[in-house]
Amino acid sequence: MADPTPPTLPSELSVLPLRRTVAFPLTLQPLAVNRPVSIESVNRALGSDRLILLLLQKTDEDDPSPDELLRVGTVGVIRQMAKVGTGINIIVEGVARARADLVTRTGTSMRARITPMPERVERTIEVEAHVRRIQELIEKALSLATGLSEELRAVVMNIDDPLRLAYVLATLIDMKPEDKQALLEEDDLLKKLRAISAALTREISLLELKGKIESQAQQEMTDAQRQYYLRQQLKAIQQELGEGEGNELAELRKRVEDARLSESVNTAAMREVDRLGRMSAASPEYQMLRTYIDWLLDVPWSVTTADRLDPTEARKALDEDHYDLDKVKERIVEYLAVRKLKGDMKGPILCFVGPPGVGKTSLGQSIARAMSRKFVRISLGGVRDEAEIRGHRRTYIGSIPGRIVQGLKQAGSMNPVFMLDEIDKISVGFQGDPAAALLEVLDPAQNHAFRDHYLEIPVDLSRVLFITTSNQLSTIHPALLDRMEIITLSGYTEEEKLHIARKYLLPRQMGEHGLPAEAMEVTDSALRLVIAEHTREAGVRNLERQLGTICRKVAARLATRPADAGPAEKTVVDGDRVDEYLGPARFRKEVAFRTSRPGVATGVAWTETGGDVLFIEATLLPGGNQNIILTGQLGSVMQESARAALSHLRARAEDLGISPEFLAKHDLHVHVPAGAIPKDGPSAGVTMATAILSAARNTPVRQDVAMTGEITLSGLVLPVGGIREKALAARRFGLKTFVLPALNEPDLADIPEELRRDMTFVPVETLEQVIKVAMTDQTGSGH
């Protein structure tokens, strides 16, 4: 098909700059004209042939220059004009494409010299195929766009000219100005049709998605309206039955008022109750908020118990439950005495350190009873999550407060005795360090405003009496250790265990096994035998277990007696019958056997389970080359002590009665039995030196001597720790003489009178003094 006859166009026309829109030939375009340059161009066109050149601006400038206009545009004829205020509304019909060869501006007048750009239209099969495809897309788009009138549908579908169809659709479809400009500048009709087809496809996708969203929104709105209607009916029914939501909120408000909360807590509680009242019961957050309010009201913010401030009565109550432990009892009595004189004293933070079974945990219960306070205990063993202490934040599903707030709820008061058990066994995990969270809890300067992550309200812990327990101090965080008052609980002597068993353990076990007081008697000789040969511990836990075994066997005999056998005779358990109930002795006094040969010395050690006895063995191996062999899982410090002891012996060999060449053709082997147990520390230095010297002299060490102390290269004996525990261990093994560093002599004040009476304590300053006490020659005289 040939080109349509182009209209005759003048060589120069007024220019109307367009912002963010493109005018096309063969279409009608309504325009609002407000800028002076645009009004001037329209007026000039209206004053002549009504023709005007419409050019797209590159920018959105209000007063564009000629350089800011694109060069390809549309020549249009102004069909209608109406003045509106200071502007003009016009309808322009596109006539033809044209190129602006030169654009000039004089004042507010802008004109352009133009060249027509006629467009060629050929109705090929390919063009027809694109037209039909576009018509199908138009039909689909118009069916999705429900707001369009049927008249518009008819107009668009009846356009026969492919070029006009492309331009009309370009004005109707939401396209970017630069895409419309590219469509206008394109000479190839097929490319124009492809661009329109792509734009229509995109428009249909948007309309389909819009319809889907509207359908979903309508469905959700319908469901929400239905739920609202049903909830309103349910609320009316519940109000008739007196079970409505309003009653629940009223009950919560009453609980808040009755709780006598502080101003800050009351404000927070009422704010959350108000939020709950505005929330639907079907909302997922409703139950979370209700749980939070319940926790907030379960904390006893204003509840405290009255302390028993009579120190004498408190000491009497402590003595009823525990034997000895004078340091702890005196500390509690002092606290109560000060509270009696000064009512607002903060609670102390105590740390009980000692071996298992000495009564650390039960002592906390006794302290609470003596002070008439509630008692709460939480175990920190294995805790590795900071949230265990501070709680989880409310954003998490299933979040709850930390153990501190839970403990206050359990106690029902803000001043309980709070025991943090096994504080030395806290672990560090990827969730945080619980010990760091405890820094705030156990700091008297901070714990008046402890902030739990769940409650997010300061909690006053200053009136709580915190007691922590530990078997050792080395694993406790240094900053945490600095905040606590350390009270050491040592192991018990045999006499103390006998008294505890007689007064506390045996009556409790008889009661737990249903034995009346007149059914059984355990003699002192039997108790001493159980203590010495069936238990070997610093505390009394195993002792109570063995007494429980005896009670069970007596109870079994009583329960299996024939019904007609008459009243049962009292069962008397004496020393001769202990094996009948407990079997053969588990522990024997093996010191004499173990030290019967040269090269064996008896040392004492301190562990987290109390004191213990170590037998250190040394022997010289002929045919060697001065090598030293150390076995028994010895730590680096203990290995260095052995080497230091050997160096001193070689340096003072002649003075110690051995040949300086005693290692010339020998190797030295030092072994500490119980090889499966790791050992370390410097306190076995003098014991190793004594064992090596005994092997070199081929002279046994005295069988009744235990020793401890660190040795230097010059032979001085330095102080060590745990003297009381070590002395108790030596006593349990039947040792009579205890050699200790002279600098540890003040520690003898902590030794029970019973031990000082039964054992000989020898303070020494040098290894030579140790040798005089510990070794004898074949005739029995010391070197």
Side-chain angles (χ1 to χ4, degrees), residues 384-385 428-433:
R384 61 179 62 203
D385 187 354
V428 178
F430 65 89
Q431 301 96 336
D433 186 358

Side-chain angles (χ1 to χ4, degrees), residues 608-639:
E608 63 179 54
T609 59
D612 201 2
V613 168
L614 294 176
F615 297 100
I616 297 180
E617 303 174 349
T619 186
L620 296 176
L621 307 176
N625 189 24
Q626 302 188 20
N627 295 320
I628 178 169
I629 304 169
L630 303 171
T631 58
Q633 279 211 66
L634 307 186
S636 58
V637 176
M638 205 166 183
Q639 292 184 29

Side-chain angles (χ1 to χ4, degrees), residues 381-396:
V383 171
R384 61 179 62 203
D385 187 354
E386 178 198 3
E388 293 275 356
I389 307 299
R390 289 188 180 275
H392 299 81
R393 299 192 184 277
R394 274 200 286 163
T395 51
Y396 298 107

Side-chain angles (χ1 to χ4, degrees), residues 549-626:
T549 301
I550 295 174
C551 291
R552 280 198 308 275
K553 293 186 179 299
V554 173
R557 289 184 181 179
L558 291 177
T560 55
R561 291 179 67 255
D564 56 353
E569 295 182 0
K570 186 175 189 178
T571 301
V572 178
V573 182
D574 56 18
D576 295 335
R577 298 187 64 187
V578 169
D579 290 352
E580 177 185 339
Y581 290 93
L582 300 180
R586 296 177 56 198
F587 302 101
R588 300 288 185 182
K589 293 183 179 180
E590 56 182 341
V591 177
F593 170 73
R594 296 288 294 272
T595 59
S596 58
R597 295 190 177 185
V600 182
T602 306
V604 281
W606 181 83
T607 67
E608 63 179 54
T609 59
D612 201 2
V613 168
L614 294 176
F615 297 100
I616 297 180
E617 303 174 349
T619 186
L620 296 176
L621 307 176
N625 189 24
Q626 302 188 20

Side-chain angles (χ1 to χ4, degrees), residues 207-226:
L207 288 172
E208 288 177 340
L209 182 59
K210 175 173 175 286
K212 184 178 179 182
I213 294 172
E214 288 177 349
S215 176
Q216 289 178 344
Q218 183 66 31
Q219 181 64 34
E220 290 175 2
M221 188 177 299
T222 303
D223 291 343
Q225 290 172 344
R226 176 173 172 272

Side-chain angles (χ1 to χ4, degrees), residues 660-675:
E661 305 298 324
F662 78 98
L663 267 186
K665 297 182 180 181
H666 293 80
D667 288 341
L668 175 64
H669 187 171
V670 176
H671 176 66
V672 182

Side-chain angles (χ1 to χ4, degrees), residues 491-524:
Y492 296 112
T493 66
E494 183 177 319
E495 290 299 323
E496 289 171 341
K497 289 182 179 180
L498 179 65
H499 185 92
I500 293 170
R502 176 68 63 196
K503 186 174 180 181
Y504 303 100
L505 306 183
L506 188 57
R508 183 162 64 213
Q509 286 299 316
M510 290 179 67
E512 290 181 359
H513 290 85
L515 295 175
E518 64 276 6
M520 183 182 75
E521 177 186 350
V522 182
T523 64
D524 285 355

Side-chain angles (χ1 to χ4, degrees), residues 48-81:
S48 57
D49 53 8
R50 290 179 172 259
L51 292 176
I52 193 166
L53 179 63
L54 306 167
L55 294 177
L56 178 65
Q57 292 180 205
K58 298 177 182 178
T59 64
D60 290 341
E61 291 291 331
D62 285 338
D63 191 19
S65 65
D67 293 337
E68 292 173 343
L69 302 179
L70 295 173
R71 289 300 182 252
V72 177
T74 299
V75 175
V77 57
I78 301 173
R79 295 299 185 189
Q80 292 183 19
M81 185 273 292

